[in-house]
Amino acid sequence: MRLVTFDAGDGERAGMLVDGRVVDAWAALGEPHQGSLRELIAHGRIDDLRARIGDTGAPSHPRSAVRLLAPIPDPDKIICIGLNYKEHAAEVGAEPPAQPVVFGKYRNALAASGATVTLPANSTKVDYEAEVAFVIGRRAKDVAVDAALDYIAGYTLFNDLSARDLQGRGPQWMPGKIFDGAAPCGPALVTPEEAGPHDGIAISLTLNGETMQDSSTEDLIFGIPELVADLSSLMTLEPGDIVATGTPPGVGMGRKPRVWLGDGDELVVSSPTLGTLATKLRR
């Protein structure tokens, strides 16, 4: 399934994409509106919703008639992993970390596919980072690696936009990671059976039509089960939490000459199974 958050003119609603239409998820379940896609996941209703695919009685809209938002617009946490692709660590001259490098973003950073993001006025060195993110499906604490995939609701695309000059102003990365719109995400949350094997999800990024990144989660240093296990040992993961798994090689900072983003640039993150996440930039 492809799950979304959409607005058809009457506020945010949980939905699913079926044959070019967006179906109201709670209505498909035969229930009144009960909140966001995060809340639907927290209530454990994904399997119930899957059973209603093909039910023509639920209200739906043409995809072109609604506005898609970030799939999870109200997460409890947005957790990011740094230096988690072998080739990316090599391109920036860093040793592969012994443990996952963890930092965070906040809800203000979320942006939907198709959004225009304003570059921060206090940075001249904003970079792109295409990523595969996963969303937690049920509360997770001290999860074993071999059980970790049972805690994942699905996967989505993510762009960890990074102001490198702010990121490098001190020992902590987060100043460069948290500007408004710094986390484009979407277009949909794709459930695991449709996303494909967790260690074989392909991802690429183009800048103004030129391919800059092209890899897959096969190159992750810490795979998705390992990340669930490690993060759940540090904190309780809640349904709807977003975990961005790191970026492959090809970032602007690692190029010679370096590539920084500017007014009018267009970024497209793509995956054969997860879809297309488009972002336009402005000053």
Side-chain angles (χ1 to χ4, degrees):
M1 282 194 302
R2 294 178 180 268
L3 304 173
V4 297
T5 295
F6 72 98
D7 186 349
D10 54 355
E12 297 180 6
R13 291 183 176 271
M16 56 180 174
L17 287 172
V18 181
D19 297 330
R21 299 186 69 84
V22 179
V23 180
D24 186 301
W26 288 108
L29 291 169
E31 300 178 15
H33 176 62
Q34 297 186 40
S36 67
L37 179 55
R38 177 186 58 78
E39 290 168 300
L40 186 143
I41 292 169
H43 281 83
R45 304 305 303 275
I46 290 180
D47 286 340
D48 295 337
L49 189 60
R50 184 180 287 108
R52 303 306 297 269
I53 294 176
D55 181 353
T56 58
S60 68
H61 309 270
R63 164 64 187 88
S64 59
V66 306
R67 182 167 64 97
L68 291 188
L69 309 176
I72 307 291
D74 55 347
D76 185 66
K77 295 181 281 294
I78 304 171
I79 304 166
C80 301
I81 307 298
L83 293 174
N84 199 30
Y85 277 73
K86 302 178 187 73
E87 293 185 13
H88 173 54
E91 78 174 336
V92 297
E95 289 292 326
Q99 300 291 334
V101 177
V102 181
F103 62 95
K105 290 183 182 255
Y106 303 102
R107 291 187 195 177
N108 68 292
L110 287 172
S113 182
T116 297
V117 172
T118 300
L119 295 165
N122 57 346
S123 173
T124 59
K125 297 180 179 179
V126 177
D127 203 350
Y128 51 83
E129 293 191 12
E131 308 203 12
V132 172
F134 61 86
V135 171
I136 295 296
R138 57 191 175 103
R139 181 170 289 178
K141 179 62 179 170
D142 295 325
V143 173
V145 171
D146 59 3
L149 294 178
D150 294 338
Y151 289 80
I152 293 176
Y155 300 88
T156 190
L157 296 173
F158 193 93
N159 194 343
D160 176 20
L161 295 176
S162 303
R164 302 297 191 192
D165 38 7
L166 302 180
Q167 180 181 346
R169 72 178 188 179
Q172 299 295 329
W173 292 1
M174 282 183 63
K177 301 283 191 174
I178 54 177
F179 62 88
D180 294 346
C185 186
L189 177 66
V190 182
T191 51
E193 78 283 353
E194 191 165 342
H198 68 88
D199 55 356
I201 299 175
I203 186 172
S204 64
L205 178 143
T206 62
L207 170 60
N208 300 326
E210 179 182 355
T211 298
M212 309 298 276
Q213 294 182 281
D214 190 4
S215 187
S216 85
T217 52
E218 182 181 10
D219 191 46
L220 288 174
I221 296 170
F222 301 102
I224 288 167
E226 289 78 17
L227 292 178
V228 173
D230 184 73
L231 292 171
S232 70
S233 76
L234 300 175
M235 68 191 103
T236 299
L237 302 175
E238 299 290 351
D241 283 352
I242 300 168
V243 181
T245 60
T247 197
V251 298
M253 181 179 68
R255 293 179 172 271
K256 295 181 181 179
R258 291 180 166 179
V259 174
W260 307 123
L261 300 174
D263 184 56
D265 281 346
E266 296 186 8
L267 297 163
V268 178
V269 183
S270 300
S271 167
T273 57
L274 302 186
T276 300
L277 169 66
T279 307
K280 188 170 183 177
L281 305 175
R282 68 182 173 201
R283 280 284 178 196

